[in-house]
Amino acid sequence: MKEFELINFLKNSAPGPGFSAIGDDCAVIEGDWLASDSYLLLSTDSMIEGRHFLRSQTSGTDLGWKVMAQAASDIAAMGGKPMVALISLTLPEVAPDDDYIKQIYSGIAEFNDRYDTSLVGGDTCLGKDFSMALTFVGNCSSRPVLRSGASKGDQIWVSGTIGLAGKGLALSQGKFDTNLEQSDLKRIENCFQRPSPRIELGDKLLGLATAMIDVSDGLISDLGLICEASSQSAQIELDDVPVHNIDSGDELSTLRACSAGEDYELLFTAPAEKNTSVREISKNLNQPVTLIGQVGANTTRPKLLIHSQGVISQAEKLLESHGLPPRGGWEHTA
Ligand code: ADP
Ligand code: MG
């Protein structure tokens, strides 16, 4: 069973009163035992050596930061504030040396300093591969922003720059050989190794965004998930997607950026009349956000349309025409 098939199967299993159904960025819990108008958010993410990172290419501090950032980003994507984390380490017989393990915890401490979070526990066991599972607990002071709230006419926004982490991955695999300025190289490596979850932005968008997700699987794939959860179609302007200026800006390079994962930017929808409020939040936080499209009609068969070079195409067809795979959650709705 593929990941999206398993998640779709689980979506239909009602977890009971007080708990959100599986399938959003993280679990949402409400109940009398929580302060009124307060929601508990839970998110967990794993990193396995050889699959998600290579020790030879990733410092322990970057790894510690990233495992925290990934799980925190899912809480930010619902407008929540990550608070405390638990980490489970699985160590192989030939374990990473002590310095490397200590570095992981100093990366975690750096993350905690930056975002005012804490590591409060975890577990250590022996296993075949070196891996980490990180659980973040957060809270939300009012109803969290789900993926399912987008309405016809809402504007589609994305924070930051799209596609840099994907380039960082390619760079680390030796698959990206453009001659880059040192400063661009640093920025790309940084986006990949030390992603910045948009926690402050997510918090400010609470009550304003109608749907939100963090870009972990690629902008096209993740927007597909919002469309599917909201039963809406949407159209984006490919030229408006904020890519880095090392991208040529042609259709293929922008589509590649929109198919790359791990950006951890926030992709959200908001009513058109909130346009000025969104821009004000962006200005006050000094956090760029870009308007990239609009939510279209209600439909039981959501489509993601891409306007590029004067032509409107279905996302999956345009990707296919460039030899790019349909990705992640979007794949099964094509
Ligand atoms: P993201 O890419 O945002 O981290 P995922 O695709 O990992 O999100 O997860 C989407 C949703 O499915 C979340 O609600 C998560 O808790 C749930 N989920 C993922 N895998 C499983 C699983 N094996 N069992 C139960 N729930 C899962
Ligand atoms: Mg997510």
Side-chain angles (χ1 to χ4, degrees):
M1 202 188 297
K2 289 188 180 166
E3 184 191 8
F4 67 81
E5 289 171 332
L6 174 61
I7 294 171
N8 266 355
F9 164 74
L10 293 166
K11 270 185 196 167
N12 299 323
S13 57
F19 306 99
S20 64
I22 286 174
D24 217 298
D25 281 289
C26 63
V28 178
I29 289 134
E30 52 187 317
D32 296 345
W33 50 285
L34 293 167
S36 65
D37 283 339
S38 179
Y39 296 78
L40 192 65
L41 302 179
L42 299 171
S43 121
T44 191
D45 246 309
S46 304
M47 290 186 82
I48 301 169
E49 185 172 35
R51 173 136 198 107
H52 301 107
F53 68 93
L54 292 174
R55 221 181 309 166
S56 56
Q57 289 175 1
T58 314
S59 71
T61 43
D62 285 347
L63 195 58
W65 174 285
K66 192 165 178 178
V67 74
M68 295 285 277
Q70 286 180 345
S73 177
D74 279 321
I75 292 181
M78 305 200 74
K81 162 95 182 72
M83 309 287 290
V84 294
L86 297 160
I87 188 166
S88 285
L89 282 186
T90 302
L91 300 172
E93 292 285 347
V94 184
D97 61 48
D98 293 354
D99 279 348
Y100 196 85
I101 305 271
K102 284 179 186 163
Q103 275 180 23
I104 292 175
Y105 285 91
S106 75
I108 290 175
E110 281 179 40
F111 185 93
N112 286 334
D113 280 349
R114 163 66 182 83
Y115 291 103
D116 198 19
T117 51
S118 303
L119 183 75
V120 294
D123 188 32
T124 314
C125 65
L126 280 181
K128 191 164 160 287
D129 297 310
F130 173 34
S131 71
M132 294 169 298
L134 195 292
T135 300
F136 238 120
V137 180
N139 75 344
C140 205
S141 52
S142 61
R143 190 161 284 280
V145 188
L146 305 181
R147 294 176 180 177
S148 54
S151 297
K152 185 177 179 191
D154 282 356
Q155 295 183 319
I156 303 170
W157 300 83
V158 70
S159 64
T161 306
I162 288 299
L164 286 185
K167 287 184 180 52
L169 174 65
L171 205 61
S172 76
Q173 294 170 331
K175 291 185 193 157
F176 190 72
D177 58 6
T178 311
N179 287 327
L180 291 173
E181 301 268 335
Q182 201 55 31
S183 57
D184 288 337
L185 199 63
K186 267 254 113 350
R187 186 163 166 217
I188 288 170
E189 279 174 355
N190 208 48
C191 282
F192 175 57
Q193 304 280 17
R194 290 219 169 205
S196 303
R198 304 301 184 194
I199 295 168
E200 293 91 350
L201 178 63
D203 177 53
K204 294 284 180 227
L205 289 171
L206 194 61
L208 199 155
T210 48
M212 187 147 67
I213 191 168
D214 63 325
V215 180
S216 55
D217 291 341
L219 185 143
I220 290 177
S221 174
D222 290 318
L223 184 54
L225 292 175
I226 286 187
C227 290
E228 194 187 321
S230 302
S231 300
Q232 301 283 345
S233 288
Q235 182 172 314
I236 57 167
E237 302 294 317
L238 197 64
D239 281 346
D240 291 346
V241 174
V243 292
H244 190 279
N245 59 14
I246 57 162
D247 271 309
S248 61
D250 66 13
E251 191 171 87
L252 176 59
S253 78
T254 308
L255 282 173
R256 277 210 182 106
C258 292
S259 304
E262 300 197 25
D263 289 312
Y264 301 109
E265 296 295 347
L266 291 182
L267 176 65
F268 60 96
T269 59
E273 61 269 23
K274 299 288 185 192
N275 182 294
T276 313
S277 311
V278 173
R279 291 189 194 283
E280 263 170 26
I281 289 170
S282 159
K283 194 165 159 237
N284 292 342
L285 292 177
N286 197 18
Q287 168 57 64
V289 296
T290 309
L291 179 60
I292 58 165
Q294 201 172 16
V295 178
N298 293 15
T299 171
T300 48
R301 285 188 61 79
K303 278 194 201 113
L304 178 55
L305 302 173
I306 298 181
H307 182 211
S308 169
Q309 299 177 350
V311 181
I312 298 172
S313 323
Q314 279 199 34
E316 65 274 19
K317 296 222 168 87
L318 188 59
L319 291 170
E320 198 184 355
S321 74
H322 284 287
L324 297 170
R327 293 205 31 135
W330 188 245
E331 205 174 359
H332 59 295
T333 62

